[in-house]
Amino acid sequence: MNEAPVIRVLLVEDDEDVRISTAQVLTLAGFEVESFASAERARAQISFGVPAVVVCDVRLPGLSGTEWLLELHNADAELPVILVTGHGHIAMAVQAMREGAYDFIEKPFSSERLVAIVRHAIERRQLSLQVRALRDALENWHGIQSVLIGRSAQMQLVRRTVMTLAETSADVLIYGETGTGKELIARCLHDHSERRRQHFVPLNCGGLPEALAESELFGHEAGAFTSANRMRVGKFEYANGGTLFLDEIESMPMAVQIKLLRALQERCIERIGSNKAIPFDCRVVAASKDDLKEMSDRQKFRADLYYRLGVAFIELPPLRERREDIPLLFEHFTLLAAARYERVAPILSGAQLADLMAYAWPGNVRELRNVADRFVLGLLGERLTQARGNAEGTTALPRGLPQQVESFERAVIVEALRKHQGDQPATASALAIARQTLHDKLRKLGITAEEFKSL
């Protein structure tokens, strides 16, 4: 997420002694404080999106704290306002909270209670301003940036590759784990090409029976087989002039792979039950979650088809390898879900954000989107990934910044060790750190590299 802005405390208190002592307490706690004797004098500091929280006495000369609250709420509904009330005004303070106050504190109050409330309000303000910045970025992005979302170096490379290949007619092979968005990439290739006015035709090869696969790809004539009551156009014909997307191509039956290879080589097909060659002009984009070269070496996939398809490659990184994109993606999915379900888009807490950043996301972007939907529907508690575990399989949720940083660091190291099967030199190289540094971090975090050697 964007760097957290520095949040000031705007303190409004007409009693000079109380104002000075309160300001000292907040300053000693590490906050930036500006003090004012009245709401009228503090007005100039307020604007939409101001990086501040307000601590205001209820009873003030002139404009009262509760009256000013309505004005502040109109200026920025998300601005945290903490009301300070004397004994006997609790009902008034409770009513003010119903009208939008963040919290209230009753005089006399302890320094610890004041600091705790202000700190929570500042954390809330930081998050709301960061979310607002993310939403502004999402609204201002256009073209491929608004579809393939992410600021990471990996996604910038993917976008550049897509735009480069979209201008050509080359067939493309997309690699990526389940849920990384392979069909989205294929659609971007189509939408940014000269073929965009023609059909984008997806076909999932996974679990498609051999008999149906041939008919789906090439079509059939009436009477070609028992249930062929009428002529049917296949996917190749339907995609003529456009793009044919073959998802999970690694699961295509071998017998169909032979016929697909011939079609790609000759750029024409024959419907089942016909001897007439039908030429086609479509780009073929295939996607796989498995390494087709490795499969061809094991004779699980035809090598000649692999080399025919493998003209250009796009590799989609799993979400755990581009964690810096998680806040932006989650906010995007939250806004989409809020519009779809006609709900107000909620804002993450600091603990929830830490949870998202530490989780391993085995289902990748698709899983993140599902969590965002449940978040908007109010089906989740403070722990968004509860019952699924985080990258380390722990259940404790980090709260403070040091714990969040350690949790994120642990997740990144564990994933690198898993990827390199516990090989510490390879892991250190992948993380761009010295071997001794990795050794020290493993010891500090209580991670044993040997447990990953069999993974």
Side-chain angles (χ1 to χ4, degrees), residues 170-378:
D171 293 337
V172 178
L173 185 54
I174 303 170
Y175 281 120
E177 295 180 5
T178 298
T180 50
K182 296 185 287 295
E183 183 171 344
L184 187 62
I185 294 293
R187 286 186 179 275
C188 283
L189 284 167
H190 176 77
D191 292 342
H192 290 84
S193 73
E194 294 182 355
R195 300 176 180 271
R196 58 184 171 273
R197 293 178 181 84
Q198 302 302 322
H199 294 132
F200 174 85
V201 183
L203 176 64
N204 192 314
C205 305
L208 194 63
E210 183 177 329
L212 285 179
E214 189 173 351
S215 177
E216 284 287 328
L217 285 169
F218 309 121
H220 61 254
E221 297 288 349
F225 45 86
T226 304
S227 59
N229 298 321
R230 58 183 177 178
M231 186 272 287
R232 186 177 188 278
V233 171
K235 301 298 186 185
F236 271 105
E237 280 187 81
Y238 190 62
N240 191 44
T243 302
L244 174 62
F245 174 55
L246 302 175
D247 197 9
E248 297 187 34
I249 196 169
E250 72 276 8
S251 62
M252 179 175 283
M254 278 288 188
V256 181
Q257 290 183 32
I258 298 172
K259 296 176 181 179
L260 174 61
L261 174 63
R262 181 180 176 185
L264 293 176
Q265 287 174 334
E266 299 180 4
R267 291 289 159 171
C268 66
I269 55 98
E270 292 178 3
R271 296 183 193 137
I272 300 174
S274 172
N275 293 320
K276 181 182 177 182
I278 303 173
F280 66 85
D281 172 28
C282 71
R283 161 184 261 169
V284 176
V285 179
S288 173
K289 62 180 179 294
D290 298 320
D291 187 334
L292 296 186
K293 177 62 170 65
E294 182 182 331
M295 288 183 66
S296 69
D297 292 342
R298 293 186 287 113
Q299 298 184 343
K300 298 293 185 181
F301 193 86
R302 289 189 63 92
D304 45 8
L305 178 57
Y306 164 73
Y307 287 113
R308 172 61 62 178
L309 289 170
V311 176
F313 299 89
I314 297 176
E315 187 166 351
L316 283 178
L319 191 56
R320 63 183 176 275
E321 292 182 6
R322 56 180 184 110
R323 293 178 187 271
E324 60 267 47
D325 292 337
I326 289 174
L328 191 65
L329 282 167
F330 191 81
E331 183 59 30
H332 171 66
F333 294 140
T334 296
L335 293 174
L336 290 179
R340 187 164 61 253
Y341 301 126
E342 299 182 348
R343 298 285 187 93
V344 175
I347 296 176
L348 287 168
S349 69
Q352 288 171 327
L353 177 59
D355 187 17
L356 295 180
M357 295 298 287
Y359 183 55
W361 299 108
N364 291 293
V365 178
R366 184 181 296 134
E367 183 182 9
L368 182 70
R369 180 168 190 159
N370 290 341
V371 172
D373 277 20
R374 290 193 286 271
F375 178 56
V376 170
L377 291 171

